[in-house]
Amino acid sequence: MEVITIKDIAKALNLSTSTVSRALRGSYEINPETKRLVMEYAERMNYRPNPIALSLKENRSRSIGIIIPEIANNFFSQAINGMESIAYNRGYHVVISQNHESYERELVNTQYLAQRRVDGLIVSLSGESNDLEHFKELQSKGLPIVFFDRVPQDYITHKVSADNFVGAYEATAHLIQQGFRKIAHLTSPSWLSITYERLEGYKKALQNHGIPIEESYIKYCSHGGMIPEEVEKAVLELIHHPERPDAIFSAGDRLTTSSMSLIKREGLRIPEDIAIVGFTNLISAHLLSPALSAVTQPAYEMGQLATEFLIDLIERPKSTIRFETKRLETKLVIRESSLKPA
């Protein structure tokens, strides 16, 4: 297959090569209609930038570092697909590392990626990360950083997350509407943004429906479900509570699937004895037994938006940037696991 170049696109569309080049980079200097024509033609002709040529020309590595808790998590794998879709079409490669909910691993990975001279970082914080000095130091030296999903509160940069409060509110309100009153909440470390926002949504739904908040029904797992013993302890405390909950709202993939397994192991039925709603992007949620009700996040779109933000910071370093915090809508999918038997 013949390789198409910027010159070929320019000739076909009767544009200058510089106009085509800027359009492909998403430059604000090019009007939207010209951008659309160029991008559609480039896609149709299977144009792909030459990263080596671009890096030599621009003195950049044309690579983006991504730091996430774990690739095996469906949410993060979907987000990475979104990141790669944007990066690839803009001539960037991605370098992925996992912090496995460890601050130390996050610190080492951050330093390694910086030494590899990535052009910027996209980060979702580990469960242990309440110290962000390693990011602040790199940002002060000019390295663009964008946070997504697990975002720091007091940090000036672009941030992309789901609307965790609304998602948690809707999940809890659904359980209440089904007739459940003793609703527990299984969640991640208390200092994570997603933990706080989902907890607040859960509490607000209870308050709005006149249900007292029972603190002993709220269980934190500091490693987000990656240590089975930690989840088991939390779930068994709920199951053997003097006033056993009749429903659980769980805030993550591993927490949810582990909870379902432990509930069954203890001889209880879902949803007859304990109903459950997860905050999860599990592709197989409908195949579980029973099929899992879940709040899903637009992971792919979150990954895309975070990458667009980062590339804009990379390619317009001297521009006056108004940093944005974007919250994308979640969706509650109701299935068997949360429907109260007649």
Side-chain angles (χ1 to χ4, degrees):
M1 182 181 293
E2 186 178 349
V3 177
I4 187 171
T5 67
I6 287 178
K7 289 182 180 179
D8 297 325
I9 298 174
K11 184 177 179 181
L13 298 178
N14 197 28
L15 298 169
S16 69
T17 55
S18 60
T19 296
V20 171
S21 178
R22 289 199 296 271
L24 290 169
R25 294 199 310 270
S27 172
Y28 66 95
E29 299 172 332
I30 306 300
N31 72 63
E33 180 60 20
T34 301
K35 278 187 195 176
R36 184 186 66 79
L37 288 172
V38 171
M39 295 301 289
E40 286 182 357
Y41 185 83
E43 188 67 27
R44 191 164 65 250
M45 300 304 293
N46 199 36
Y47 166 78
R48 293 292 178 262
N50 183 331
I52 296 174
L54 287 171
S55 64
L56 290 172
K57 179 180 178 181
E58 301 174 2
N59 193 29
R60 295 188 191 136
S61 67
R62 305 297 298 188
S63 62
I64 292 169
I66 299 172
I67 304 175
I68 57 171
E70 59 168 342
I71 295 173
N73 182 301
N74 284 272
F75 167 78
F76 289 115
S77 62
Q78 292 166 27
I80 288 169
N81 285 340
M83 294 172 192
E84 287 190 321
S85 74
I86 297 298
Y88 186 68
N89 285 326
R90 296 285 293 271
Y92 288 82
H93 289 290
V94 300
V95 183
I96 303 165
S97 66
Q98 304 175 85
N99 57 44
H100 292 287
E101 303 291 8
S102 163
Y103 169 79
E104 289 301 325
R105 291 187 72 154
E106 180 178 273
L107 179 61
V108 169
N109 289 342
T110 301
Q111 292 170 342
Y112 172 75
L113 290 168
Q115 289 165 3
R116 285 279 302 271
R117 302 187 64 82
V118 295
D119 296 326
L121 292 175
I122 301 175
V123 181
S124 186
L125 295 171
S126 81
E128 296 180 348
S129 296
N130 50 12
D131 179 358
L132 305 179
E133 285 306 312
H134 51 300
F135 293 122
K136 291 178 180 178
E137 182 181 353
L138 289 173
Q139 192 179 38
S140 70
K141 294 178 179 177
L143 184 71
I145 299 174
V146 170
F147 291 95
F148 84 104
D149 184 46
R150 301 166 172 208
V151 302
Q153 299 302 313
D154 301 318
Y155 199 110
I156 302 174
T157 188
H158 292 305
K159 305 169 193 174
V160 180
S161 66
D163 197 333
N164 294 293
F165 177 90
V166 170
Y169 185 96
E170 290 179 345
T172 309
H174 160 66
L175 289 168
I176 295 169
Q177 289 156 8
Q178 283 295 305
F180 300 104
R181 288 296 180 270
K182 295 184 287 184
I183 303 170
H185 182 38
L186 187 64
T187 190
S188 298
S190 59
W191 53 82
L192 286 177
S193 60
I194 58 172
T195 301
Y196 172 78
E197 292 166 3
R198 293 172 191 178
L199 178 62
E200 289 303 297
Y202 158 82
K203 287 182 173 180
K204 190 65 175 177
L206 294 178
Q207 290 171 345
N208 284 356
H209 290 83
I211 299 175
I213 295 168
E214 174 55 63
E215 292 296 333
S216 64
Y217 282 173
I218 301 171
K219 299 294 182 183
Y220 299 94
C221 294
S222 60
H223 293 85
M226 294 188 74
I227 297 180
E229 295 78 13
E230 186 179 59
V231 185
E232 181 173 11
K233 180 177 183 294
V235 174
L236 290 182
E237 285 177 358
L238 292 174
I239 289 176
H240 298 298
H241 193 287
E243 293 289 332
R244 189 179 72 206
D246 54 12
I248 296 175
F249 165 47
S250 175
D253 279 1
R254 288 183 181 272
L255 297 174
T256 303
T257 53
S258 296
S259 296
M260 293 182 76
S261 176
L262 289 163
I263 289 168
K264 291 179 182 179
R265 192 192 74 182
E266 293 300 300
L268 300 175
R269 299 164 300 164
I270 304 170
E272 290 85 355
D273 298 312
I274 300 180
I276 189 163
V277 176
F279 211 111
T280 173
N281 276 49
L282 273 176
I283 298 171
S284 59
H286 65 293
L287 299 176
L288 298 177
S289 180
L292 175 66
S293 295
V295 179
T296 63
Q297 305 173 77
Y300 187 86
E301 291 78 7
M302 289 169 67
Q304 286 187 314
L305 184 56
T307 309
E308 287 171 350
F309 275 147
L310 183 65
I311 292 176
D312 192 43
L313 291 176
I314 292 168
E315 298 190 346
R316 298 171 57 194
K318 297 181 180 178
S319 300
T320 301
I321 300 292
R322 187 174 68 86
F323 291 111
E324 298 184 57
T325 296
K326 291 285 188 180
R327 290 186 174 88
L328 279 62
E329 290 183 6
T330 59
K331 180 181 179 182
L332 174 62
V333 181
I334 299 170
R335 302 188 181 97
E336 225 178 307
S337 71
S338 64
L339 297 175
K340 192 158 193 173

